[in-house]
Amino acid sequence: MKTDLTDITVVMDRSGSMSSCAAEAEGGLNHFIEEQKQAAGDAVFSLVQFDDHYDVVCEGVPIQDAPVCKLEPRGMTALLDAVGKTINTVGLRLAAMDEADRPGLVIMVILTDGMENSSQEFTKAQVKDMIEHQQSKYNWKFIFLGANQDAFSEGGSIGIQASSTANFDIDKIGVAYQATSASISRARASHHLPAAARDIEYTDEERKAMKKKG
């Protein structure tokens, strides 16, 4: 295992409701990638965009080679299908690697501005079981960022810890990506620690910055 190698996957909502913040979401994601290029250690990056369709933009590429990402909102919100498929895909990719080459830290960032409304393949119970299994057996880290909902309720319902969950206002999506990048960078800098001890957490200041004042 390479303790200074991090596997980062972003599962990004591109349903029609994201049209109001498409430019900000695009810019925030690309800034997130640029910041992670500068973070401690090595990283590989994957990006999935979903609505009621599922598209893999890139998979397991060195972070330095990550493409500039575009967002074209459309469709409904098949969140559970996107998360379930991505967990399976990442798991298969890591299982195919030699143990010595596997990343010491695996992180999945889930960002959505709406509620699940169109999944066909995975139920909430299935996704919760999958997330809890990856967390407990392999020490994967999951981040849930939600707008226009109670992110703590929704993230918790699929097994994601409150410390790595955040509500954000939709016009603060760039700030949400910035805060997420900072939290991941802190975890990456602690590569001397085992994955189980490398928590992804937001500070109180980061949480406040993701919400409108007042």
Side-chain angles (χ1 to χ4, degrees), residues 18 33-34 36 47 97 131 135 190:
M18 290 286 287
I33 294 169
E34 290 303 313
Q36 288 307 304
L47 173 64
M97 299 171 66
I131 287 175
Q135 288 177 147
S190 302

Side-chain angles (χ1 to χ4, degrees), residues 8 31-33 35-36 39-40 107 109 143 145 174-190 199-203 205-207 210:
I8 302 169
H31 186 66
F32 168 90
I33 294 169
E35 286 191 334
Q36 288 307 304
I107 301 170
V109 181
I143 297 171
L145 290 163
V175 178
Y177 269 118
Q178 187 175 14
T180 300
S181 180
S183 67
I184 290 174
S185 293
R186 291 191 292 269
R188 290 179 63 186
S190 302
D199 293 329
I200 306 291
E201 298 180 334
Y202 293 105
T203 66
E205 291 75 17
E206 287 165 348
R207 292 186 185 280
M210 287 187 254

Side-chain angles (χ1 to χ4, degrees), residues 39-186:
D42 296 322
V44 295
F45 180 72
S46 303
L47 173 64
V48 168
Q49 293 184 349
F50 73 94
D51 46 272
D52 45 354
H53 292 79
Y54 178 87
D55 290 322
V56 178
V57 178
C58 62
E59 183 179 359
V61 301
I63 192 76
Q64 302 298 333
D65 298 333
V68 174
C69 299
K70 301 291 184 182
L71 182 67
E72 297 179 358
R74 66 187 197 190
M76 305 291 282
T77 308
L79 175 64
L80 297 173
D81 283 356
V83 174
K85 288 177 184 178
T86 305
I87 291 172
N88 284 339
T89 298
V90 175
L92 288 171
R93 176 166 54 81
L94 297 181
M97 299 171 66
D98 291 337
E99 176 63 28
D101 295 327
R102 289 177 186 162
L105 185 62
V106 179
I107 301 170
M108 186 174 296
V109 181
I110 303 163
L111 184 144
T112 180
D113 78 325
M115 306 287 284
E116 158 65 45
N117 60 25
S118 59
S119 288
Q120 301 293 320
E121 298 180 41
F122 291 86
T123 66
K124 181 173 285 188
Q126 287 174 317
V127 170
K128 185 175 187 287
D129 286 346
M130 294 167 74
I131 287 175
E132 290 179 341
H133 176 76
Q134 297 305 127
Q135 288 177 147
S136 63
K137 186 168 184 178
Y138 299 110
N139 293 308
W140 286 20
K141 310 299 180 182
F142 289 84
I143 297 171
F144 188 85
L145 290 163
N148 302 320
Q149 62 190 282
D150 182 344
F152 293 95
S153 176
E154 291 304 307
S157 73
I158 55 173
I160 299 178
Q161 298 174 355
S163 60
S164 53
T165 297
N167 284 304
F168 69 95
D169 288 327
I170 198 63
D171 61 351
K172 296 283 189 178
I173 192 169
V175 178
Y177 269 118
Q178 187 175 14
T180 300
S181 180
S183 67
I184 290 174
S185 293
R186 291 191 292 269

